[in-house]
Amino acid sequence: AIFLIMVDRVAMAYKWRLLLSAKRILISFWRALEIYLISGFVGVILPSGVGGDIYRVYYTSKPIGKLSHIASSVIVERFLGMAAAAIFAVVGLSVMSTVASKAVVQQEILTTMFVTLAVLIAVFIISMTALPFRIAERLLASWTKPKFAEKLAKFREAYHEYGQHKTTLIVFFLLSVAEQGLFVLVTYTGALAIDIRLDIYYFLGIVPVCQIIKRIPISINSIGVQEGLFVYFFGQIGISATEALSLSLLTRIAQWSAMLVGGVLYVMDTSMRLDPKSLPVTKAP
């Protein structure tokens, strides 16, 4: 399971580098992997998904600049990653309802995944037009400082530039769909490790749904959220709450074990750490 998680990190770094290369931001694959591993390590103690992404944007742009271009790559990555998870969930739930011996797929869940996929695709297409950004810029013009509006305009230009790289976006999306299978294999392997014997069809349906929901940044590193989802969904197919909780904890420990590599890199690479001198100093009253 730990090995599969490391393979997933390699795949994620490779995909992200594709997006950066499309914007002529050339960093080595190993540097991209290092940044991804370190941001994953830092993200363990930050809100799920968001914290690690902010760290990744800041420290990638720190030595080379191009903040708006790097931020746009992360936003596109998240959009297409969520859409890939949604389409995998729709396919996985359909397969599970057709092939699995226990009919546990609720129509409401499948419908929700269809709606999620449609909304994500619609939002992404709309976001590639100038309209939503123009509206945001006009609203913010009277509420914020001019510099913020200028930064938003720069981000809009950087973000919309991806519309000229449709081939890269398609390749990225297809790789993201394939990558969802790694999450399934990690959970399936973890289940075998604690002697939970289930057909892999159940994991094809349950794991992608959990991946989508747990990305909502409502807790630190989705702690509690993933556990609750596992207990609920696996409970629907007869797995006890103790076993489901154990499976969630096992996969989480495997993830954290892989993240320790990022911790070692964080200690070794001083350029990736916060400079205490750059922090604001508050005088005592």
Side-chain angles (χ1 to χ4, degrees):
I2 295 173
F3 171 75
L4 290 172
I5 291 170
M6 289 301 300
V7 172
D8 175 64
R9 290 291 155 178
V10 170
M12 294 173 80
Y14 174 78
K15 292 191 306 166
W16 180 48
R17 189 167 176 266
L18 287 179
L19 295 178
L20 293 177
S21 298
K23 304 299 286 290
R24 297 175 297 280
I25 300 174
L26 303 178
I27 63 175
S28 69
F29 168 75
W30 294 111
R31 181 60 174 171
L33 179 58
E34 179 186 23
I35 293 173
Y36 230 108
L37 289 172
I38 293 176
S39 63
F41 171 74
V42 174
V44 169
I45 58 172
L46 295 173
S48 180
V50 177
D53 286 344
I54 293 174
Y55 182 92
R56 181 155 49 106
V57 169
Y58 175 75
Y59 279 96
T60 306
S61 63
K62 185 179 178 181
I64 63 176
K66 299 185 178 182
L67 177 63
S68 59
H69 290 280
I70 294 170
S72 67
S73 74
V74 173
I75 297 299
V76 169
E77 177 191 49
R78 283 298 173 186
F79 254 127
L80 296 182
M82 286 285 287
I87 196 170
F88 198 97
V90 168
V91 174
L93 288 170
S94 301
V95 170
M96 186 172 74
S97 63
T98 304
V99 181
S101 58
K102 301 176 183 178
V104 296
V105 178
Q106 298 177 10
Q107 188 61 38
E108 294 81 359
I109 298 175
L110 185 57
T111 302
T112 300
M113 290 300 104
F114 265 116
V115 172
T116 301
L117 177 60
V119 169
L120 286 170
I121 293 175
V123 170
F124 182 72
I125 293 174
I126 294 172
S127 69
M128 280 294 172
T129 66
L131 181 60
F133 285 96
R134 296 294 186 188
I135 295 174
E137 288 168 14
R138 288 182 180 179
L139 291 175
L140 293 172
S142 57
W143 297 344
T144 60
K145 296 181 180 179
K147 287 186 177 180
F148 184 82
E150 293 176 4
K151 290 181 179 179
L152 181 60
K154 289 182 179 179
F155 173 79
R156 170 173 53 81
E157 294 175 0
Y159 183 76
H160 285 165
E161 190 178 327
Y162 275 111
Q164 304 172 13
H165 302 280
K166 293 182 176 60
T167 302
T168 299
L169 296 181
I170 292 172
V171 171
F172 181 92
F173 179 75
L174 293 177
L175 289 174
S176 297
V177 173
E179 184 201 348
Q180 296 301 314
L182 286 172
F183 295 118
V184 172
L185 290 175
V186 167
T187 311
Y188 178 68
T189 305
L192 293 178
I194 55 177
D195 203 30
I196 296 177
R197 304 295 170 176
L198 282 175
D199 291 332
I200 196 170
Y201 306 120
Y202 295 108
F203 296 88
L204 287 173
I206 293 174
V207 174
V209 175
C210 294
Q211 286 293 325
I212 293 174
I213 299 175
K214 78 178 209 178
R215 289 182 184 181
I216 302 173
I218 57 177
S219 72
I220 301 299
N221 199 234
S222 72
I223 295 175
V225 177
Q226 175 177 293
E227 285 68 29
L229 291 170
F230 273 45
V231 169
Y232 173 76
F233 283 111
F234 283 103
Q236 300 296 305
I237 53 178
I239 301 301
S240 70
T242 301
E243 290 177 313
L245 180 61
S246 299
L247 177 58
S248 176
L249 294 176
L250 179 63
T251 56
R252 186 177 295 282
I253 290 171
Q255 290 172 344
W256 285 353
S257 299
M259 297 305 176
L260 288 177
V261 177
V264 173
L265 294 173
Y266 179 82
V267 172
M268 295 175 60
D269 189 351
T270 57
S271 66
M272 297 290 286
R273 289 185 297 207
L274 288 172
D275 181 5
K277 295 181 181 179
S278 67
L279 299 177
V281 178
T282 303
K283 296 182 180 180

